Amino acid sequence: MAFYIRYYENEVLLQKSEEILPYLQSINKLTPEELDIIDKRIGKLRSGTNRIYLDAAKKRYLLAIGTTQTSIEDFQKNSKVARQQSGTEQPAANAAPAAEIDKAEPVKDGWKIYHLDFTLIENEQPVPYTFKAKLKNASLESAYNRMKDYLLEKHGGTCLVPEISEDAIWCENE
């Protein structure tokens, strides 16, 4: 199985999992500790999307997608066609929900960054994600509702959003 590897702007299609670590060492953007994390996870990579998180906050990760494609051009062409057929590819202008003012419980200090945990079903496996959105004058409940509506519209039946709770959604001041 081949692996499409992306770390920020660096991307490549490697034919064997043994080629991943030498490639990452050659781009000189990862620390030895991060390379150790990746080395431990390479043997567990599977077909489909794999994320190897490089920090505890899960903000930095290496994307490794197991594929049967033999060239990066074929991989990119086929993934674009698949996104278009599933309806998940949207123009950049529609990438984030519009911020509205919540009249029921306005927040006086304006902009806040909200985080909502959700799960996508990818290749019949649940994969956890955190959706981050910057909203103005929104209560926790209205932020949850807008983020949930956006995720369900974007991902449809493959998206699972938990009920509103302190464990599912939280905010930080800008």
Side-chain angles (χ1 to χ4, degrees):
M1 173 181 353
F3 290 95
Y4 168 79
I5 304 296
R6 188 177 74 212
Y7 182 70
Y8 291 100
E9 71 279 353
N10 300 295
E11 63 182 356
V12 69
L13 186 77
L14 301 170
Q15 297 303 314
K16 298 178 184 175
S17 62
E18 295 83 20
E19 298 172 346
I20 296 172
L21 202 56
Y23 167 74
L24 294 171
Q25 290 169 329
S26 73
I27 63 173
N28 293 322
K29 291 189 176 185
L30 297 164
T31 66
E33 293 81 18
E34 293 168 338
L35 289 169
D36 284 343
I37 292 169
I38 294 167
D39 189 30
K40 291 175 185 171
R41 294 279 317 274
I42 287 176
K44 299 175 185 172
L45 296 178
R46 57 181 170 74
S47 178
T49 303
N50 300 274
R51 282 198 169 100
I52 300 174
Y53 292 99
L54 303 173
D55 61 350
K58 294 187 175 183
K59 292 186 178 186
R60 294 182 49 244
Y61 62 88
L62 171 76
L63 181 66
I65 301 176
T67 181
T68 58
Q69 300 299 320
T70 57
S71 74
I72 194 163
E73 293 81 15
D74 290 340
F75 174 81
Q76 290 171 336
K77 182 178 76 172
N78 287 342
S79 67
K80 184 174 182 177
V81 168
R83 284 192 310 268
Q84 287 172 340
Q85 288 175 346
S86 70
T88 59
E89 185 172 69
Q90 297 179 354
N94 295 332
E100 300 172 14
I101 296 175
D102 181 9
K103 294 175 178 57
E105 189 178 305
V107 179
K108 294 179 183 173
D109 54 356
W111 292 100
K112 297 231 185 225
I113 297 174
Y114 292 87
H115 302 263
L116 175 64
D117 289 333
F118 68 100
T119 302
L120 285 180
I121 306 300
E122 296 177 357
N123 296 327
E124 300 178 10
Q125 296 291 323
V127 180
Y129 291 97
T130 300
F131 178 52
K132 184 176 176 181
K134 184 176 178 181
L135 302 172
K136 186 174 184 180
N137 297 334
S139 66
L140 197 62
E141 184 175 353
S142 68
Y144 168 83
N145 289 331
R146 283 190 267 168
M147 294 168 77
K148 177 182 175 183
D149 291 345
Y150 173 77
L151 289 168
L152 292 175
E153 181 180 323
K154 181 176 180 179
H155 299 290
T158 64
C159 182
L160 304 172
V161 180
E163 294 299 318
I164 188 169
S165 72
E166 291 179 10
D167 294 331
I169 186 168
W170 66 98
C171 74
E172 62 184 73
N173 290 332
E174 169 79 289

